Every structure is written in C-alpha cells, then in structure tokens.
Amino acid sequence: MLDRPKVTSLPPELADVALHDQRSEPRYADEIKLVDIWLVLLRRKFTIVALVLVSTAIASAYALFTPHSYAYTTIIEIGTNGRNELIEPLETARAKVVEGYIAQALQDHIKGNPEDNTQYGIKAEIPKNSQVLVVRSHGTVEQERAYATLHNAVADRLKADHRRIQSALQRGLETQLEMRERSLTELRVQAKAFEAQIDRLEGKQELPARELAYLTSLRLADNQRAQSELVPLVDVVRLQLTSMRETSTVVSPMRSLKPTDLGKGTIIVLAALVGLFLGILVAFFIDLVARTREDVSLRYKTAR
C-alpha cells in the first residue's frame, strides 16, 4: 500500500491568495455590521427622534418649573478654655449638633409652624485642618428665612452648652486665682513685718539681737523666694481667664451667590443625550422583534 504524499505548504501563488482572503474577511464582516447598524438606525429614526423630543420636553418642563437650589452656610467657632485648647473636641461638638440640636430645632420649628410640610435637611461638617464647625443646608430662595431660623437655633444651643462648660472652668480658675492672690498678699504682709523687725534689730549690738536679725533675714529670703515662685502662677491664671474665648457664630446663615444645582441648559442637554441613548436601544429592540417575527412567519410558511 503506497503512502499518500503529504502537502506541507501551498504554492506561493495560492498561499498569497489565501492570506489575502483571511485578512479581507474580518474587515468585510466589520463593514457589513456597521452597514447593518446604520440601516437599523435609518429605519427607526422616527422612534429615536421621538424619544429625544419627549426626553427634552420633560427636562425643559422640569427646569422651567423647578426653582433653583442654593447653599446655606453657618460657621461656628468653638471657644477655648484659656490654655489655647478648645472647650471640647470638634467631633464631640459635631456629635451633639447632629444627634441632638438639629433634631430639637426641627421639632421646635414643626411645633411653631404646623402647616409647613417641607423636609429641611441640615448637616454639620468639620472642614479639614480647621477649628470651626460648619452647618450646611440646601434650599430655595423662599426657604431662606426658615433655614436662617433653624441654623441660628442650632448655633444657639451649642453656644449655650459651651457657656455652661466655660462657666464651670471660669469659676474654678477664679477660685484658684483668689487663693493664690490671698497667699501672695499674706507673704507680702509677712515680708513687711520681717523688714520692720530687721530694721529695729540692726542698731543693737547685743548678740541675741544680732542672731535674731540674722534669722529674720533668712526667713525674709525664704518669703521673697516664695513670692517669686507664686507671682508667675498668679499671672498664668489671670492670663487664662483673659484668654478664654466663647463659642461664637463667625458667619451667620448665608445664602450662596450662585445656585448649587445644575443649570437649565445642562439639564436639557443631558436629557437629550439620555433620550438619544434610549432611542437607540429601543430602535434595536424593535428591529430585533420585527426580524424575529419575520423569521417565525417564514418558517411557518415553509413548514406548510
């Protein structure tokens, strides 16, 4: 039995033709797909245009009748305890505002204005690398007075709580200052008595008198040393009392100059793009359904 000759390669002419066909087939297939897509879009152009127009009309109506939204901001500066420290950490103050004071302010507003069904949103933020608390809201121009009232109510509650803490600190410092000033006054009176006693004993030559003058001078030196140590402590307490700063509203409720929402033109353009995208999807879906029906109908006729 003879072995068949194995064909290991094509002649050069046939090989070039085969390679050209292999390279041409994907490109030709891509061209066919692009043409099919374009034909589908042309056949369903009215559907696409209709969805674009409907989407644009809805967006235009929304932009026309919906009022602009603005940002309302209140900046609260936390007070200090006189040692260049905050009365309480910013996170603690923020937790009080978020978990308590905002809810209380909203409840009071609802009680005072039962006909107002607006859902007011108030947030408290701590800007990075800052020592302030920012109360922020978003609303329309008509809501400016309501947001100003709510922001002030939240700030007033925080300031009242900090005044309570600061009053306790101030009373403690004042008591400490009074005790140190009293001790300093007693030392000064004692020093004057020592100086008077030394003046009386300096002219006497008796040994007991000189010894007593020497001992009195030693006690006077101790007294002056105690005074020199106590005076800076008194000054420190006085400085703490004068350096205490109350929590205050740095920026009262303020409305932003420009709206924070999207512009009307931007909304309409985005709506048109969304309508175009949906129109293309719907066009391909309708075309797919139509082709499926044609195939089913053709198979049914062939089967008959």
Side-chain angles (χ1 to χ4, degrees):
M1 187 174 180
L2 297 176
D3 294 334
R4 294 181 179 178
K6 295 182 179 180
V7 178
T8 57
S9 62
L10 295 173
E13 298 82 4
L14 296 178
D16 293 339
V17 172
L19 182 61
H20 176 72
D21 292 340
Q22 291 175 359
R23 292 179 178 178
S24 300
E25 286 179 0
R27 184 183 304 173
Y28 181 68
D30 292 339
E31 291 177 355
I32 293 176
K33 291 180 181 179
L34 291 176
V35 171
D36 291 340
I37 292 173
W38 178 247
L39 291 176
V40 171
L41 296 178
L42 284 179
R43 283 197 300 269
R44 309 299 174 183
K45 59 181 179 295
F46 294 109
T47 301
I48 298 173
V49 172
L51 284 175
V52 171
L53 293 177
V54 170
S55 179
T56 304
I58 294 174
S60 300
Y62 174 82
L64 181 63
F65 294 104
T66 302
H68 285 298
S69 178
Y70 293 84
Y72 294 94
T73 305
T74 299
I75 300 178
I76 304 173
E77 186 178 29
I78 306 301
T80 60
N81 57 8
R83 295 191 297 270
N84 199 24
E85 299 173 350
L86 298 180
I87 294 176
E88 65 180 358
L90 280 170
E91 287 294 342
T92 303
R94 180 182 177 277
K96 290 181 178 179
V97 170
V98 173
E99 302 298 334
Y101 302 150
I102 291 177
Q104 292 175 2
L106 291 173
Q107 289 177 359
D108 292 343
H109 179 78
I110 293 173
K111 290 179 181 178
N113 304 274
E115 73 285 352
D116 189 359
N117 298 321
T118 306
Q119 297 294 326
Y120 295 99
I122 306 176
K123 298 180 180 179
E125 305 170 356
I126 301 174
K128 189 176 181 181
N129 300 326
S130 70
Q131 298 292 323
V132 298
L133 186 67
V134 178
V135 179
R136 199 185 306 277
S137 302
H138 292 275
T140 62
V141 175
E142 290 75 14
Q143 297 171 341
E144 182 173 2
R145 179 175 296 180
Y147 273 119
T149 302
L150 291 170
H151 281 210
N152 285 328
V154 171
D156 290 343
R157 282 176 168 80
L158 182 63
K159 288 188 284 187
D161 180 61
H162 284 182
R163 277 196 299 269
R164 175 185 59 82
I165 299 173
Q166 200 170 40
S167 296
L169 293 174
Q170 188 173 0
R171 287 194 299 270
L173 289 174
E174 288 174 349
T175 302
Q176 189 177 6
L177 177 62
E178 183 181 355
M179 294 176 60
R180 290 181 179 179
E181 285 181 339
R182 186 185 302 118
S183 299
L184 184 60
T185 301
E186 292 174 355
L187 288 173
R188 287 172 178 171
V189 171
Q190 189 181 49
K192 289 181 180 180
F194 289 154
E195 290 173 354
Q197 186 176 8
I198 291 172
D199 291 339
R200 290 196 306 268
L201 295 174
E202 280 183 348
K204 297 181 180 182
Q205 299 298 324
E206 294 84 359
L207 181 60
R210 284 185 292 174
E211 290 179 350
L212 183 59
Y214 175 71
L215 293 174
T216 304
S217 63
L218 292 179
R219 295 177 66 184
L220 178 60
D222 291 338
N223 180 287
Q224 291 174 345
R225 185 168 52 255
Q227 288 188 52
S228 63
E229 294 176 353
L230 189 57
V231 168
L233 297 179
V234 172
D235 293 338
V236 167
V237 178
R238 287 177 178 169
L239 181 62
Q240 289 180 7
L241 285 171
T242 56
S243 300
M244 294 182 74
R245 186 185 71 243
E246 292 186 356
T247 299
S248 59
T249 303
V250 180
V251 176
S252 298
M254 180 181 63
R255 175 166 57 91
S256 60
L257 297 177
K258 296 181 179 180
T260 56
D261 53 3
L262 294 176
K264 296 182 179 180
T266 304
I267 293 175
I268 294 173
V269 171
L270 291 176
L273 292 176
V274 171
L276 178 62
F277 178 74
L278 292 176
I280 293 174
L281 290 180
V282 171
F284 280 106
F285 177 77
I286 294 174
D287 193 76
L288 178 62
V289 171
R291 288 186 179 183
T292 303
R293 288 180 177 177
E294 290 178 359
D295 292 342
V296 171
S297 176
L298 182 61
R299 290 179 184 177
Y300 179 74
K301 291 178 180 179
T302 304
R304 292 183 62 183

